Amino acid sequence: MGWESGLFLIIPLLFAAVFYFRGRQIFEYDSDGEALNFKNRNVVSFLDKALNDEFPKYKLISYEIVDAIILKRLYITISSKRNNSVILKYDISYLNKKELNDLKISLSKVVKNNREQKRENIS
């Protein structure tokens, strides 16, 4: 039992840690209709609880994508009745560039429409 056998333990544990810290692997987004639907879940179901959020488009205030070295997160700010706003967090580390771009474009359209509607209502 030398240092080589230690590598057989360390390397898989390192990969498992990166897999766990990158977050949920499956992200689904649907903006058809009057509601936004976000689903975020793991391939291995016992690792973390699945997220499933659906809310009307008019509640979306803003979004932010945080891109760290090994993980990406999407922060959605929505309006609520009780607390002026709520921030929802989704793991999007496994999206490719095209999927990420499509997500940004779609969310930007919704935010822009909401701001225009708000201005029209104020005027």
Side-chain angles (χ1 to χ4, degrees):
M1 294 292 252
W3 62 272
E4 295 93 0
S5 61
L7 287 177
F8 283 116
L9 291 174
I10 293 171
I11 291 175
L13 289 175
L14 184 65
F15 280 121
V18 169
F19 182 75
Y20 178 76
F21 286 117
R22 283 192 79 184
R24 296 173 182 94
Q25 295 80 31
I26 300 171
F27 177 77
E28 297 173 359
Y29 166 71
D30 182 23
S31 65
D32 293 339
E34 292 296 316
L36 295 173
N37 191 358
F38 295 91
K39 293 180 183 178
N40 205 193
R41 57 191 162 97
N42 267 325
V43 173
V44 184
S45 61
F46 66 84
L47 282 180
D48 216 353
K49 191 171 85 171
L51 294 174
N52 188 5
D53 296 314
E54 185 171 351
F55 52 87
K57 285 183 179 180
Y58 67 85
K59 288 191 170 199
L60 181 65
I61 298 171
S62 66
Y63 73 96
E64 180 183 2
I65 295 176
V66 176
D67 190 1
I69 295 172
I70 64 168
L71 62 98
K72 291 180 193 157
R73 293 250 163 89
L74 170 66
Y75 293 97
I76 300 284
T77 306
I78 60 171
S79 61
S80 71
K81 291 180 183 177
R82 296 183 194 139
N83 306 348
N84 293 333
S85 64
V86 174
I87 297 175
L88 304 173
K89 178 178 74 171
Y90 304 100
D91 298 313
I92 56 171
S93 299
Y94 294 94
L95 294 182
N96 61 34
K97 283 189 177 190
K98 184 187 181 318
E99 293 169 335
L100 193 59
N101 246 0
D102 292 344
L103 177 65
K104 286 179 186 178
I105 290 169
S106 179
L107 290 174
S108 294
K109 284 181 185 178
V110 174
V111 168
K112 183 179 175 186
N113 279 345
N114 289 346
R115 287 184 184 153
E116 288 174 2
Q117 289 292 332
K118 191 174 184 179
R119 280 190 207 128
E120 287 177 9
N121 290 339
I122 291 173
S123 301

